[in-house]
Amino acid sequence: MPQKKNPDSLELIRGKAGRVFGHCSGFMMTLKGLPSTYNKDLQEDKEGMFDAYDTMMGVLLVATGVLSTLEVNKVATKAALSPDMLATDIAYYLVRKGIPFREAHGMSGAAVHLAETKKCQLSDLTLEDLQAVSPKFEADVEKLWNYENSVEQYTAAGGTSGASVMHQIQTLDEWLGHMRNKSHTMKSRMEMDITLN
């Protein structure tokens, strides 16, 4: 439809994940049932493996096309941010104040509900409003309404902080370099074998 603004390519890639994981599950079930060594059961692995390979090759082509032509509209992206996206940060704030996450999660939901009831943004709730949800809220809760801080707080491996993302990129670059070297070495060996024969 002409009004559709969803990223079709990325939706299709996401949809392919179920197919590939389905093949993976089927393959694991086949392997799990094997008593030992090779059995005729392993004939069933080929179809799923070849399809998963073909699917991944297609996905990589589409992803390459998406990423190579992607233009991020920073103004529109920033305008799309809303304080309710920081609801999980409220829960983590309360966890840092000593409340177990299962309770903090519920309190975060109560704060969201309160903002909806008052027909205001989550960040527009007063300290008194938040303290009605939990007395653990203090004046420092104001620091939560900063999107950059929200992103930067996740410093664990795979996290969203700038340092974490750069580490992930560096790790991937190193792995790709290793794979290129390995591929080059294998190609050289094959060429040498051909020359010797």
Side-chain angles (χ1 to χ4, degrees):
M1 297 210 201
Q3 80 281 4
K4 190 170 180 349
K5 301 289 184 202
N6 294 354
D8 284 344
S9 302
L10 299 176
E11 289 177 359
L12 293 170
I13 288 173
R14 184 178 58 209
K16 293 291 186 184
R19 179 180 182 148
V20 172
F21 277 101
H23 287 314
C24 181
S25 295
F27 182 60
M28 289 191 295
M29 287 302 295
T30 299
L31 287 179
K32 181 181 182 298
L34 294 177
S36 63
T37 69
Y38 182 85
N39 289 283
K40 293 275 187 185
D41 310 44
L42 288 176
Q43 292 179 20
E44 289 298 313
D45 72 342
K46 308 303 182 275
E47 182 181 350
M49 289 300 139
F50 291 145
D51 184 64
Y53 176 83
D54 291 342
T55 300
M56 285 306 302
M57 290 298 104
V59 162
L60 289 173
L61 285 172
V62 171
T64 300
V66 168
L67 294 175
S68 66
T69 59
L70 180 68
E71 291 181 24
V72 176
N73 183 332
K74 292 181 182 179
V75 174
T77 302
K78 277 198 166 191
L81 294 173
S82 66
D84 60 325
M85 294 176 171
L86 301 172
T88 304
D89 293 42
I90 292 175
Y92 289 135
Y93 169 88
L94 292 169
V95 166
R96 288 190 293 272
K97 299 286 185 176
I99 297 176
F101 184 80
R102 67 184 173 279
E103 293 175 30
H105 182 269
M107 292 173 183
S108 174
V112 169
H113 179 70
L114 180 60
E116 289 172 352
T117 302
K118 293 185 87 170
K119 295 186 182 351
C120 69
Q121 295 285 351
L122 195 54
S123 58
D124 294 334
L125 292 175
T126 65
L127 180 58
E128 291 75 27
D129 291 333
L130 292 169
Q131 286 176 334
V133 172
S134 170
K136 294 285 188 175
F137 282 108
E138 297 173 9
D140 63 345
V141 72
E142 285 298 317
K143 295 177 186 173
L144 287 182
W145 315 126
N146 181 305
Y147 301 106
E148 286 81 16
N149 289 347
S150 177
V151 169
E152 289 298 321
Q153 72 180 327
Y154 301 106
T155 58
T160 56
S161 73
S164 187
V165 169
M166 290 310 296
H167 181 265
Q168 293 170 64
I169 291 170
Q170 180 184 358
T171 301
L172 182 59
D173 280 342
E174 289 170 4
W175 180 81
L176 286 171
H178 172 73
M179 295 308 289
R180 282 188 195 108
N181 289 339
K182 189 175 179 180
S183 174
H184 180 70
T185 302
M186 289 175 64
K187 182 179 177 187
S188 297
R189 285 183 185 160
M190 289 172 64
E191 288 170 352
M192 191 181 325
D193 287 347
I194 290 170
T195 305
L196 292 174
N197 292 330

